[in-house]
Amino acid sequence: MSKTATVDRDPPVVRVRGLRKSYPGTENAVLDGIDWDIPRGRVIGLLGRNGAGKTTLMRCLLGLLPVDEGEIEIFGEPMDEPRGERLHRIGFVPQTFDLFKWMRVGSYLNFTAAFYRHWNRTLENRLVDNWGLDRRAKIGKLSEGQRQKLAIIRAMAPEPDLLVLDEPVASLDPQTRAAFMNELIDVVRHYGKTVILSTHITADLERAEADIALLDGGRLVLEMPLAELRERIRKVELTRACGWSEPPEVAGALSSEVAGTRLTLIVDQVGDAQLGAIAKQYEAELSVERITLEDAFVALA
């Protein structure tokens, strides 16, 4: 599937060209020639199957993993390793947070704040209170969800220009997850920050009206705003009294499923006129529904 690039007059916050990364003992490259421009002031939802390389891509972007080939620029400068001025402008939440288990929550936040030129204490205090974190508790005694909350606070309090979040809400309860997404959306809309968010919870990306980037086979096979994706990929139902013995061949169909009298299709770039002609050909009643991001992801992946 061809890619649709987001057009933005400002230079990209992240620019990637020809990124390639392999691991010893693997036959195929995890990342195989990634080209990617990430614009300012957007939430980018990075999707892909388990093992598609999302975590590898994020860590390469931040200089936490060496790359085999390619160029990475962040804020217009080569990203060889996380150092200097850029550290103050980047926030990162990894999948797991296992550091400093012996420290208490409050001490850890004070310790971390000392490394940044700016730290929003008001935001820190609000999130700590709203998310029910005990400043006196040792990090090693926190639940997985509580540690994830702490990692998010650590990443957001410096108010970075770029937030890179690797499955940040997987361990959060629904109420905290909703509160976090509201904070994230507010940061992007009011302060022009950029967020790269890897998640399997597609409803969160729909809430943020994110741009979608789909990683498959070591490449980014799709990049586009969610609104454009919904216009391009649609869910179609064709119903007829005699039923369907098997799904017919339909150009542009990503998936098809028969259930009695109903044929359900997920189609890509199939216009209303073409759908009407298909319905007429098979003497079927036509219904077109707005697709969910989860359905689109399953069909594309």
Side-chain angles (χ1 to χ4, degrees):
M1 181 177 295
S2 61
K3 297 189 289 184
T4 301
T6 301
V7 177
D8 196 288
R9 293 182 179 179
D10 295 329
V13 172
V14 179
R15 181 180 181 273
V16 181
R17 292 293 181 271
L19 176 59
R20 192 175 187 279
K21 174 66 178 177
S22 299
Y23 291 109
T26 58
E27 182 177 351
N28 299 317
V30 178
L31 306 176
D32 188 14
I34 299 286
D35 293 331
W36 199 12
D37 286 346
I38 300 176
R40 179 180 179 273
R42 294 295 298 165
V43 176
I44 311 296
L46 180 60
L47 297 177
R49 301 175 181 175
N50 289 335
K54 301 184 296 297
T55 295
T56 297
L57 176 55
M58 288 183 160
R59 296 183 73 86
C60 286
L61 294 182
L62 298 178
L64 300 175
L65 277 179
V67 303
D68 300 333
E69 298 176 17
E71 299 177 352
I72 301 171
E73 291 183 357
I74 294 185
F75 309 126
E77 297 180 357
M79 189 60 175
D80 300 323
E81 59 182 85
R83 61 186 177 185
E85 181 70 15
R86 285 170 299 185
L87 279 177
H88 299 279
R89 303 182 63 189
I90 299 173
F92 176 48
V93 178
Q95 282 188 348
T96 57
F97 177 72
D98 296 320
L99 299 177
F100 305 105
K101 292 183 178 181
W102 52 272
M103 292 187 76
R104 300 187 186 276
V105 169
S107 298
Y108 171 74
L109 290 172
N110 291 333
F111 170 76
T112 305
F115 289 92
Y116 290 91
R117 66 168 182 233
H118 174 73
W119 186 274
N120 189 330
R121 288 290 184 185
T122 301
L123 175 61
E124 173 202 319
N125 292 333
R126 184 174 76 247
L127 294 180
V128 167
D129 293 341
N130 290 348
W131 293 355
L133 284 177
D134 183 356
R135 291 182 178 273
R136 298 166 298 178
K138 286 189 176 182
I139 294 175
K141 298 295 184 180
L142 299 179
S143 68
E144 185 177 355
Q146 289 171 325
R147 289 197 302 272
Q148 201 69 1
K149 292 176 186 178
L150 181 59
I152 291 169
I153 295 171
R154 176 203 61 185
M156 294 187 70
E159 298 186 319
D161 294 313
L162 172 64
L163 268 170
V164 180
L165 310 172
D166 191 2
E167 296 285 353
V169 298
S171 302
L172 301 183
D173 59 83
Q175 182 178 2
T176 303
R177 196 178 80 235
F180 163 67
M181 290 304 301
N182 289 336
E183 290 281 354
L184 201 64
I185 293 168
D186 183 70
V187 160
V188 172
R189 288 179 178 172
H190 292 91
Y191 302 102
K193 309 297 186 180
T194 301
V195 177
I196 305 173
L197 172 62
S198 169
T199 181
H200 287 100
I201 305 175
T202 53
D204 288 338
L205 299 179
E206 290 181 312
R207 185 181 294 117
E209 283 294 322
D211 293 352
I212 303 303
L214 178 62
L215 186 63
D216 186 50
R219 295 179 176 270
L220 286 174
V221 297
L222 179 142
E223 302 171 59
M224 66 179 59
L226 179 57
E228 184 178 334
L229 179 66
R230 285 177 174 148
E231 290 181 3
R232 174 172 164 170
I233 300 176
R234 297 189 288 175
K235 185 176 183 178
V236 177
E237 288 191 352
L238 294 166
T239 305
R240 62 180 187 177
C242 62
W244 305 85
S245 58
E246 61 182 11
E249 292 289 335
V250 176
L254 299 174
S255 68
S256 59
E257 181 181 355
V258 170
T261 61
R262 187 173 65 252
L263 168 66
T264 302
L265 302 171
I266 306 296
V267 298
D268 178 27
Q269 299 187 93
V270 179
D272 292 338
Q274 184 179 347
L275 291 175
I278 294 170
K280 183 177 180 180
Q281 176 185 352
Y282 291 99
E283 298 181 342
E285 181 180 342
L286 173 66
S287 173
V288 181
E289 301 179 10
R290 176 174 173 171
I291 195 169
T292 66
L293 179 55
E294 182 174 358
D295 284 342
F297 170 58
V298 170
L300 288 167

